Amino acid sequence: MSQSFNPTPRTLMGPGPSDVHPRVLSALGRPTIGHLDPEFVSMMDEVKGLLQYAFQTKNELTIPVSAPGSAGMETCFVNLIEPGDKVVVCQNGVFGGRMKENVERIGATAIMVEDEWGKPVDPQKVEDALKANPDAKAVAFVHAETSTGACSDVKTLCALAHKHNCVTIVDTVTSLGGSELRVDDWGVDAVYSGSQKCLSCTPGISPVSFNERAIEIIKNRKTKVQSWFMDLNLVMGYWGANTKRAYHHTAPINALYALHEALVMLKEEGLENAWQRHMHNHLALRAGLEAMGLSFIVEEKYRLPQLNSVTIPDGVEEVKVRAQLLKEFNLEIGAGLGALAGKVWRVGLMGYSSRAENILLCLSALEAVLSELGANINTGVAIAAAQKQLSG
Ligand SMILES: *Cc1c(COP(=O)(O)O)cnc(C)c1O
Protein backbone atom coordinates (compact mmCIF):
# COMPACT_ATOMS: atom_id res chain seq x y z
CA MET A 1 0.00 0.00 0.00
CA SER A 2 1.22 3.48 -0.82
CA GLN A 3 1.52 5.88 2.06
CA SER A 4 1.33 9.63 2.41
CA PHE A 5 4.49 11.43 1.42
CA ASN A 6 6.10 13.21 4.34
CA PRO A 7 9.36 14.89 3.36
CA THR A 8 12.01 15.58 5.99
CA PRO A 9 12.02 19.31 6.75
CA ARG A 10 15.14 20.88 5.26
CA THR A 11 16.80 24.26 5.42
CA LEU A 12 16.99 25.48 1.83
CA MET A 13 20.08 27.55 1.12
CA GLY A 14 20.61 26.77 -2.52
CA PRO A 15 19.68 28.72 -5.66
CA GLY A 16 15.95 28.12 -5.09
CA PRO A 17 13.50 27.00 -4.02
CA SER A 18 14.13 28.83 -0.77
CA ASP A 19 12.45 28.24 2.59
CA VAL A 20 8.71 28.86 2.36
CA HIS A 21 7.33 30.94 5.19
CA PRO A 22 4.88 29.05 7.47
CA ARG A 23 2.23 31.70 6.80
CA VAL A 24 2.52 30.93 3.10
CA LEU A 25 2.30 27.18 3.67
CA SER A 26 -0.82 27.59 5.76
CA ALA A 27 -2.42 29.80 3.10
CA LEU A 28 -2.06 26.87 0.68
CA GLY A 29 -4.34 24.73 2.82
CA ARG A 30 -7.30 27.11 2.78
CA PRO A 31 -10.52 25.94 1.10
CA THR A 32 -10.39 25.80 -2.67
CA ILE A 33 -13.09 27.96 -4.24
CA GLY A 34 -14.09 28.44 -7.87
CA HIS A 35 -11.76 30.48 -10.04
CA LEU A 36 -14.67 32.69 -11.15
CA ASP A 37 -16.03 33.05 -7.60
CA PRO A 38 -16.32 36.78 -6.79
CA GLU A 39 -14.16 36.28 -3.70
CA PHE A 40 -11.42 34.72 -5.80
CA VAL A 41 -11.71 37.43 -8.43
CA SER A 42 -11.22 40.15 -5.82
CA MET A 43 -8.17 38.30 -4.48
CA MET A 44 -6.81 38.25 -8.06
CA ASP A 45 -7.13 42.02 -8.17
CA GLU A 46 -5.20 42.28 -4.92
CA VAL A 47 -2.47 40.02 -6.26
CA LYS A 48 -2.09 42.33 -9.26
CA GLY A 49 -1.79 45.39 -7.02
CA LEU A 50 0.71 43.67 -4.74
CA LEU A 51 2.79 42.59 -7.73
CA GLN A 52 2.80 46.17 -9.00
CA TYR A 53 4.25 47.14 -5.64
CA ALA A 54 6.88 44.37 -5.72
CA PHE A 55 7.94 45.33 -9.26
CA GLN A 56 7.60 49.08 -8.55
CA THR A 57 5.42 49.58 -11.60
CA LYS A 58 2.09 51.07 -12.57
CA ASN A 59 1.79 48.66 -15.51
CA GLU A 60 -1.81 47.51 -15.88
CA LEU A 61 -0.64 44.24 -17.41
CA THR A 62 1.01 42.85 -14.27
CA ILE A 63 -0.09 39.29 -13.58
CA PRO A 64 1.08 35.92 -12.30
CA VAL A 65 1.56 33.33 -15.06
CA SER A 66 0.26 29.94 -13.89
CA ALA A 67 3.60 28.15 -14.28
CA PRO A 68 7.22 28.50 -13.11
CA GLY A 69 9.75 31.21 -13.97
CA SER A 70 10.71 29.50 -17.21
CA ALA A 71 7.14 29.98 -18.42
CA GLY A 72 7.35 33.67 -17.55
CA MET A 73 10.48 33.84 -19.68
CA GLU A 74 8.72 32.12 -22.54
CA THR A 75 5.64 34.36 -22.15
CA CYS A 76 7.83 37.42 -22.69
CA PHE A 77 9.61 36.01 -25.72
CA VAL A 78 6.69 34.44 -27.58
CA ASN A 79 4.55 37.56 -27.23
CA LEU A 80 7.16 40.17 -28.15
CA ILE A 81 9.24 38.34 -30.72
CA GLU A 82 8.15 37.11 -34.15
CA PRO A 83 9.86 34.90 -36.72
CA GLY A 84 12.60 36.85 -38.51
CA ASP A 85 13.19 39.35 -35.67
CA LYS A 86 16.66 40.05 -34.30
CA VAL A 87 17.22 40.03 -30.55
CA VAL A 88 20.38 41.03 -28.69
CA VAL A 89 20.72 38.37 -25.98
CA CYS A 90 23.23 38.88 -23.19
CA GLN A 91 24.75 35.78 -21.68
CA ASN A 92 26.88 35.73 -18.52
CA GLY A 93 25.56 32.48 -17.06
CA VAL A 94 22.99 29.75 -17.56
CA PHE A 95 19.87 31.78 -18.06
CA GLY A 96 21.05 33.91 -20.97
CA GLY A 97 21.52 30.60 -22.79
CA ARG A 98 17.87 29.78 -22.21
CA MET A 99 16.89 33.15 -23.65
CA LYS A 100 18.84 32.31 -26.81
CA GLU A 101 17.00 28.99 -27.02
CA ASN A 102 13.66 30.81 -26.73
CA VAL A 103 14.56 33.29 -29.47
CA GLU A 104 15.74 30.60 -31.87
CA ARG A 105 12.72 28.38 -31.36
CA ILE A 106 10.54 31.31 -32.40
CA GLY A 107 12.46 31.47 -35.69
CA ALA A 108 14.15 34.73 -34.74
CA THR A 109 17.89 35.45 -34.62
CA ALA A 110 19.81 35.86 -31.38
CA ILE A 111 22.78 38.25 -31.50
CA MET A 112 24.84 37.00 -28.59
CA VAL A 113 26.72 39.33 -26.26
CA GLU A 114 28.83 37.13 -24.02
CA ASP A 115 30.53 37.86 -20.75
CA GLU A 116 32.52 35.60 -18.50
CA TRP A 117 30.57 33.66 -15.87
CA GLY A 118 30.69 35.64 -12.63
CA LYS A 119 30.90 39.01 -14.42
CA PRO A 120 27.98 41.38 -15.05
CA VAL A 121 26.75 42.13 -18.57
CA ASP A 122 29.14 44.68 -20.10
CA PRO A 123 27.15 47.70 -21.41
CA GLN A 124 29.93 48.54 -23.88
CA LYS A 125 29.55 45.17 -25.60
CA VAL A 126 25.78 45.66 -25.73
CA GLU A 127 26.23 49.08 -27.31
CA ASP A 128 28.63 47.61 -29.89
CA ALA A 129 26.13 44.89 -30.75
CA LEU A 130 23.34 47.46 -31.11
CA LYS A 131 25.47 49.62 -33.40
CA ALA A 132 26.36 46.60 -35.53
CA ASN A 133 22.71 45.52 -35.69
CA PRO A 134 20.55 48.62 -36.19
CA ASP A 135 17.61 46.37 -37.12
CA ALA A 136 17.54 44.64 -33.71
CA LYS A 137 14.12 44.71 -32.08
CA ALA A 138 14.85 43.76 -28.48
CA VAL A 139 17.54 43.46 -25.84
CA ALA A 140 17.23 40.63 -23.32
CA PHE A 141 19.28 40.05 -20.21
CA VAL A 142 19.24 38.66 -16.69
CA HIS A 143 19.27 41.08 -13.76
CA ALA A 144 20.40 38.60 -11.09
CA GLU A 145 22.31 35.65 -12.59
CA THR A 146 21.53 32.83 -10.18
CA SER A 147 24.10 30.54 -11.77
CA THR A 148 26.96 32.87 -10.77
CA GLY A 149 25.74 35.46 -8.23
CA ALA A 150 26.44 38.48 -10.44
CA CYS A 151 24.14 41.49 -10.71
CA SER A 152 23.84 43.49 -13.95
CA ASP A 153 22.95 47.15 -14.31
CA VAL A 154 19.33 47.15 -15.46
CA LYS A 155 18.98 50.93 -15.69
CA THR A 156 22.03 51.43 -17.90
CA LEU A 157 21.21 48.48 -20.17
CA CYS A 158 17.59 49.60 -20.64
CA ALA A 159 18.70 53.15 -21.48
CA LEU A 160 21.08 51.79 -24.10
CA ALA A 161 18.41 49.58 -25.61
CA HIS A 162 15.96 52.48 -25.86
CA LYS A 163 18.57 54.74 -27.42
CA HIS A 164 18.74 52.16 -30.20
CA ASN A 165 14.99 51.75 -30.41
CA CYS A 166 14.82 48.33 -28.81
CA VAL A 167 12.33 46.95 -26.34
CA THR A 168 13.78 45.31 -23.19
CA ILE A 169 13.08 41.87 -21.74
CA VAL A 170 14.53 41.42 -18.25
CA ASP A 171 14.80 38.29 -16.10
CA THR A 172 14.23 39.22 -12.44
CA VAL A 173 13.50 35.73 -11.13
CA THR A 174 16.11 35.96 -8.41
CA SER A 175 16.09 39.72 -7.85
CA LEU A 176 12.39 40.38 -7.16
CA GLY A 177 12.03 41.05 -3.43
CA GLY A 178 15.76 40.50 -2.81
CA SER A 179 17.58 43.41 -4.39
CA GLU A 180 16.69 46.83 -5.70
CA LEU A 181 14.46 46.62 -8.76
CA ARG A 182 12.45 49.54 -10.15
CA VAL A 183 10.64 48.47 -13.29
CA ASP A 184 9.15 51.87 -14.20
CA ASP A 185 12.04 54.10 -13.16
CA TRP A 186 14.57 51.90 -14.90
CA GLY A 187 12.63 51.59 -18.16
CA VAL A 188 12.04 47.83 -18.17
CA ASP A 189 9.47 47.03 -20.88
CA ALA A 190 8.80 43.35 -20.22
CA VAL A 191 9.81 41.53 -17.05
CA TYR A 192 9.31 38.11 -15.53
CA SER A 193 10.07 36.60 -12.15
CA GLY A 194 9.41 33.55 -9.99
CA SER A 195 7.61 32.80 -6.74
CA GLN A 196 10.18 30.49 -5.13
CA LYS A 197 13.26 32.66 -4.73
CA CYS A 198 13.15 35.93 -2.74
CA LEU A 199 9.36 35.94 -2.29
CA SER A 200 9.42 33.01 0.20
CA CYS A 201 6.64 31.28 -1.73
CA THR A 202 6.24 27.81 -3.21
CA PRO A 203 7.49 27.21 -6.78
CA GLY A 204 5.19 27.23 -9.77
CA ILE A 205 4.07 30.82 -10.35
CA SER A 206 5.74 33.44 -12.52
CA PRO A 207 4.86 37.11 -12.03
CA VAL A 208 5.19 39.13 -15.27
CA SER A 209 4.66 42.76 -16.21
CA PHE A 210 4.44 44.60 -19.54
CA ASN A 211 4.38 48.34 -20.17
CA GLU A 212 2.63 50.28 -22.96
CA ARG A 213 5.59 49.99 -25.31
CA ALA A 214 5.52 46.20 -24.97
CA ILE A 215 1.75 46.04 -25.33
CA GLU A 216 1.91 48.13 -28.54
CA ILE A 217 4.31 45.55 -29.99
CA ILE A 218 2.05 42.68 -28.98
CA LYS A 219 -1.01 44.39 -30.47
CA ASN A 220 0.75 45.05 -33.77
CA ARG A 221 2.06 41.55 -34.37
CA LYS A 222 1.95 40.26 -37.93
CA THR A 223 1.66 36.65 -36.81
CA LYS A 224 -0.31 34.88 -34.11
CA VAL A 225 1.55 34.00 -30.90
CA GLN A 226 2.42 30.37 -31.51
CA SER A 227 1.69 29.35 -27.92
CA TRP A 228 -2.02 29.28 -27.21
CA PHE A 229 -1.53 29.08 -23.44
CA MET A 230 0.86 32.02 -23.25
CA ASP A 231 -0.84 34.31 -25.76
CA LEU A 232 -1.36 37.46 -23.70
CA ASN A 233 -4.21 38.62 -25.90
CA LEU A 234 -6.16 35.63 -24.57
CA VAL A 235 -4.78 35.67 -21.02
CA MET A 236 -5.86 39.31 -20.72
CA GLY A 237 -9.47 38.24 -21.09
CA TYR A 238 -9.05 36.40 -17.81
CA TRP A 239 -6.78 38.72 -15.83
CA GLY A 240 -7.55 42.06 -17.48
CA ALA A 241 -9.33 44.93 -15.77
CA ASN A 242 -12.93 45.64 -16.81
CA THR A 243 -13.18 42.34 -18.65
CA LYS A 244 -15.84 39.75 -18.07
CA ARG A 245 -13.25 37.27 -16.73
CA ALA A 246 -13.73 34.82 -19.55
CA TYR A 247 -12.52 31.31 -18.83
CA HIS A 248 -9.03 30.80 -20.19
CA HIS A 249 -7.55 28.13 -17.92
CA THR A 250 -8.24 27.11 -14.35
CA ALA A 251 -6.03 29.27 -12.17
CA PRO A 252 -3.92 27.38 -9.60
CA ILE A 253 -6.25 28.65 -6.88
CA ASN A 254 -4.38 27.56 -3.76
CA ALA A 255 -0.99 28.42 -5.20
CA LEU A 256 -2.31 31.93 -5.73
CA TYR A 257 -3.45 32.10 -2.08
CA ALA A 258 0.18 31.33 -1.27
CA LEU A 259 1.52 34.02 -3.57
CA HIS A 260 -1.00 36.50 -2.16
CA GLU A 261 0.18 35.74 1.38
CA ALA A 262 3.85 36.03 0.39
CA LEU A 263 3.17 39.42 -1.22
CA VAL A 264 1.17 40.64 1.78
CA MET A 265 4.19 39.75 3.91
CA LEU A 266 6.50 41.64 1.57
CA LYS A 267 4.26 44.69 1.85
CA GLU A 268 4.20 44.39 5.65
CA GLU A 269 7.98 44.22 5.78
CA GLY A 270 8.38 46.97 3.21
CA LEU A 271 10.18 46.39 -0.09
CA GLU A 272 13.22 48.48 0.78
CA ASN A 273 13.49 46.79 4.17
CA ALA A 274 13.45 43.43 2.41
CA TRP A 275 16.30 44.57 0.13
CA GLN A 276 18.20 45.74 3.21
CA ARG A 277 17.60 42.50 5.09
CA HIS A 278 19.06 40.52 2.19
CA MET A 279 22.15 42.75 2.18
CA HIS A 280 22.59 42.70 5.96
CA ASN A 281 22.42 38.90 6.10
CA HIS A 282 24.69 38.51 3.08
CA LEU A 283 27.36 40.56 4.86
CA ALA A 284 27.12 38.31 7.92
CA LEU A 285 27.39 35.11 5.88
CA ARG A 286 30.26 36.62 3.97
CA ALA A 287 32.12 37.56 7.17
CA GLY A 288 31.79 33.97 8.39
CA LEU A 289 32.79 32.30 5.13
CA GLU A 290 35.77 34.60 4.65
CA ALA A 291 36.91 34.04 8.24
CA MET A 292 36.80 30.32 7.47
CA GLY A 293 39.02 30.94 4.46
CA LEU A 294 36.56 30.65 1.58
CA SER A 295 36.36 33.41 -1.01
CA PHE A 296 33.76 34.89 -3.32
CA ILE A 297 34.12 34.62 -7.09
CA VAL A 298 32.12 37.74 -7.97
CA GLU A 299 33.75 41.14 -7.54
CA GLU A 300 32.24 42.91 -4.52
CA LYS A 301 30.40 45.69 -6.35
CA TYR A 302 28.51 43.20 -8.58
CA ARG A 303 27.74 40.64 -5.88
CA LEU A 304 24.17 39.56 -5.29
CA PRO A 305 23.26 39.43 -1.59
CA GLN A 306 20.86 36.53 -2.15
CA LEU A 307 23.21 34.22 -4.06
CA ASN A 308 26.72 33.67 -2.78
CA SER A 309 29.13 31.81 -5.08
CA VAL A 310 32.11 30.70 -3.02
CA THR A 311 35.23 28.73 -3.77
CA ILE A 312 35.73 25.13 -2.66
CA PRO A 313 38.82 24.42 -0.52
CA ASP A 314 41.57 22.49 -2.33
CA GLY A 315 41.36 18.73 -2.29
CA VAL A 316 37.75 18.63 -1.10
CA GLU A 317 35.23 16.50 -2.91
CA GLU A 318 32.43 19.04 -3.24
CA VAL A 319 29.67 16.49 -3.91
CA LYS A 320 30.51 14.72 -0.68
CA VAL A 321 30.27 17.93 1.31
CA ARG A 322 26.82 18.72 -0.01
CA ALA A 323 25.64 15.15 0.57
CA GLN A 324 26.86 15.29 4.16
CA LEU A 325 25.29 18.69 4.83
CA LEU A 326 21.99 17.26 3.68
CA LYS A 327 22.28 14.01 5.57
CA GLU A 328 23.65 15.30 8.86
CA PHE A 329 22.19 18.79 9.01
CA ASN A 330 19.17 18.70 6.66
CA LEU A 331 20.82 21.63 4.94
CA GLU A 332 20.77 22.13 1.19
CA ILE A 333 23.30 24.35 -0.58
CA GLY A 334 23.75 24.54 -4.35
CA ALA A 335 26.41 23.15 -6.67
CA GLY A 336 28.07 25.13 -9.43
CA LEU A 337 26.37 25.05 -12.82
CA GLY A 338 27.78 25.02 -16.35
CA ALA A 339 31.19 26.73 -16.51
CA LEU A 340 31.30 26.80 -12.69
CA ALA A 341 30.40 23.14 -12.09
CA GLY A 342 32.77 21.63 -9.53
CA LYS A 343 34.36 25.04 -8.89
CA VAL A 344 31.94 26.75 -6.51
CA TRP A 345 29.13 26.27 -4.05
CA ARG A 346 26.13 28.50 -4.36
CA VAL A 347 24.75 29.51 -0.99
CA GLY A 348 21.34 31.12 -1.26
CA LEU A 349 19.97 33.64 1.21
CA MET A 350 16.65 34.23 -0.46
CA GLY A 351 13.37 35.34 1.07
CA TYR A 352 12.56 33.47 4.27
CA SER A 353 15.91 31.69 3.99
CA SER A 354 17.62 35.03 4.55
CA ARG A 355 17.71 35.07 8.36
CA ALA A 356 20.27 34.84 11.15
CA GLU A 357 19.54 31.28 12.26
CA ASN A 358 20.15 29.97 8.73
CA ILE A 359 23.48 31.77 8.50
CA LEU A 360 24.66 30.34 11.81
CA LEU A 361 23.48 26.84 10.88
CA CYS A 362 25.19 27.01 7.51
CA LEU A 363 28.51 28.22 8.92
CA SER A 364 28.63 25.69 11.75
CA ALA A 365 27.50 22.79 9.56
CA LEU A 366 29.96 23.66 6.81
CA GLU A 367 32.77 23.99 9.33
CA ALA A 368 31.91 20.62 10.90
CA VAL A 369 31.77 18.79 7.57
CA LEU A 370 34.88 20.42 6.13
CA SER A 371 36.87 19.70 9.30
CA GLU A 372 35.71 16.11 9.27
CA LEU A 373 36.96 15.77 5.69
CA GLY A 374 40.31 17.26 6.64
CA ALA A 375 39.96 20.45 4.61
CA ASN A 376 42.40 23.25 5.21
CA ILE A 377 40.10 25.89 6.77
CA ASN A 378 40.25 28.20 9.77
CA THR A 379 38.12 26.72 12.52
CA GLY A 380 36.42 28.36 15.48
CA VAL A 381 36.21 31.84 13.94
CA ALA A 382 33.33 31.87 11.46
CA ILE A 383 30.43 32.13 13.91
CA ALA A 384 31.99 34.99 15.84
CA ALA A 385 32.71 36.88 12.61
CA ALA A 386 29.12 36.44 11.44
CA GLN A 387 27.68 37.36 14.81
CA LYS A 388 29.69 40.52 14.96
CA GLN A 389 28.25 41.54 11.60
CA LEU A 390 24.72 40.50 12.55
CA SER A 391 24.70 42.63 15.68
CA GLY A 392 26.45 45.55 13.97
C1 LIG B 1 15.26 29.96 -11.23
C2 LIG B 1 15.48 30.87 -12.39
C3 LIG B 1 14.74 30.76 -13.58
C4 LIG B 1 13.76 29.65 -13.83
O1 LIG B 1 12.72 29.61 -12.94
P1 LIG B 1 11.91 28.24 -12.78
O2 LIG B 1 10.85 28.60 -11.78
O3 LIG B 1 12.89 27.24 -12.29
O4 LIG B 1 11.35 27.88 -14.09
C5 LIG B 1 14.98 31.69 -14.58
N1 LIG B 1 15.89 32.66 -14.44
C6 LIG B 1 16.63 32.80 -13.32
C7 LIG B 1 17.64 33.89 -13.22
C8 LIG B 1 16.45 31.90 -12.27
O5 LIG B 1 17.19 32.01 -11.16
Side-chain angles (χ1 to χ4, degrees):
M1 256 249 286
S2 298
Q3 292 181 337
S4 304
F5 175 62
N6 279 297
T8 305
R10 310 281 202 199
T11 299
L12 301 177
M13 298 181 71
S18 53
D19 287 344
V20 177
H21 195 280
R23 270 178 63 180
V24 174
L25 285 177
S26 75
L28 273 172
R30 290 179 193 146
T32 304
I33 60 177
H35 66 116
L36 298 174
D37 185 311
E39 283 189 23
F40 185 71
V41 168
S42 73
M43 190 209 68
M44 282 165 73
D45 288 336
E46 283 186 26
V47 167
K48 286 172 62 174
L50 289 162
L51 283 177
Q52 287 171 331
Y53 170 69
F55 277 127
Q56 291 289 287
T57 182
K58 294 198 166 66
N59 291 342
E60 180 57 40
L61 185 48
T62 302
I63 58 170
V65 171
S66 305
S70 306
M73 178 189 283
E74 196 144 346
T75 297
C76 289
F77 283 94
V78 296
N79 280 280
L80 288 171
I81 310 302
E82 293 190 70
D85 286 344
K86 256 190 193 180
V87 183
V88 172
V89 174
C90 307
Q91 179 164 19
N92 59 340
V94 165
F95 293 98
R98 298 230 180 133
M99 289 176 155
K100 174 176 193 264
E101 189 64 31
N102 269 271
V103 168
E104 289 175 349
R105 283 179 187 223
I106 289 165
T109 304
I111 310 294
M112 297 305 290
V113 170
E114 304 200 29
D115 280 290
E116 226 177 284
W117 289 48
K119 297 259 185 320
V121 173
D122 180 351
Q124 187 58 54
K125 289 188 191 170
V126 174
E127 171 119 68
D128 293 345
L130 286 166
K131 280 184 181 151
N133 296 278
D135 53 342
K137 177 184 188 180
V139 174
F141 61 93
V142 179
H143 180 200
E145 221 340 314
T146 325
S147 61
T148 67
C151 186
S152 290
D153 182 349
V154 174
K155 193 177 174 182
T156 299
L157 294 171
C158 287
L160 268 178
H162 292 155
K163 191 172 121 195
H164 292 268
N165 244 335
C166 284
V167 69
T168 51
I169 300 176
V170 184
D171 178 320
T172 64
V173 176
T174 282
S175 52
L176 186 68
S179 31
E180 185 176 13
L181 168 64
R182 300 181 189 279
V183 165
D184 286 358
D185 288 355
W186 291 354
V188 178
D189 300 307
V191 63
Y192 61 91
S193 190
S195 49
Q196 78 276 31
K197 310 230 172 159
C198 294
L199 296 181
S200 318
C201 187
T202 46
I205 302 279
S206 177
V208 297
S209 184
F210 299 84
N211 69 9
E212 284 304 323
R213 182 200 300 253
I215 291 169
E216 266 316 290
I217 291 174
I218 297 169
K219 281 192 181 149
N220 290 310
R221 286 178 64 101
K222 295 190 231 38
T223 57
K224 262 191 177 181
V225 174
Q226 82 265 25
S227 162
W228 175 84
F229 184 72
M230 290 171 189
D231 185 342
L232 285 169
N233 294 301
L234 305 175
V235 174
M236 275 301 283
Y238 185 53
W239 277 99
N242 315 316
T243 58
K244 240 180 86 256
R245 302 278 179 193
Y247 168 66
H248 177 261
H249 66 278
T250 309
I253 314 276
N254 294 56
L256 288 172
Y257 299 164
L259 179 65
H260 180 272
E261 189 71 18
L263 293 169
V264 165
M265 290 184 58
L266 181 65
K267 189 97 191 259
E268 283 172 3
E269 179 178 17
L271 190 56
E272 301 199 349
N273 292 335
W275 298 339
Q276 264 172 30
R277 168 171 54 87
H278 282 86
M279 183 51 78
H280 179 72
N281 288 332
H282 154 74
L283 292 175
L285 178 75
R286 169 194 166 180
L289 291 172
E290 288 184 342
M292 212 186 283
L294 306 189
S295 48
F296 282 70
I297 63 148
V298 176
E299 205 185 318
E300 186 168 356
K301 62 180 175 207
Y302 305 120
R303 238 175 247 166
L304 287 169
Q306 63 274 54
L307 195 287
N308 299 269
S309 283
V310 292
T311 51
I312 295 163
D314 283 342
V316 169
E317 238 188 284
E318 80 83 16
V319 183
K320 208 164 168 185
V321 174
R322 283 186 296 111
Q324 238 160 288
L325 288 173
L326 193 65
K327 187 159 160 268
E328 292 171 23
F329 296 91
N330 288 309
L331 171 65
E332 178 179 283
I333 64 167
L337 269 185
L340 296 177
K343 296 188 181 141
V344 298
W345 285 309
R346 290 181 300 151
V347 184
L349 285 174
M350 301 182 184
Y352 186 53
S353 291
S354 177
R355 63 206 147 107
E357 66 192 87
N358 280 22
I359 295 167
L360 299 178
L361 167 70
C362 179
L363 291 172
S364 51
L366 198 57
E367 180 167 328
V369 170
L370 286 173
S371 304
E372 203 179 310
L373 295 174
N376 182 18
I377 54 159
N378 308 319
T379 56
V381 287
I383 293 288
Q387 256 163 346
K388 183 160 171 245
Q389 185 68 42
L390 282 170
S391 58

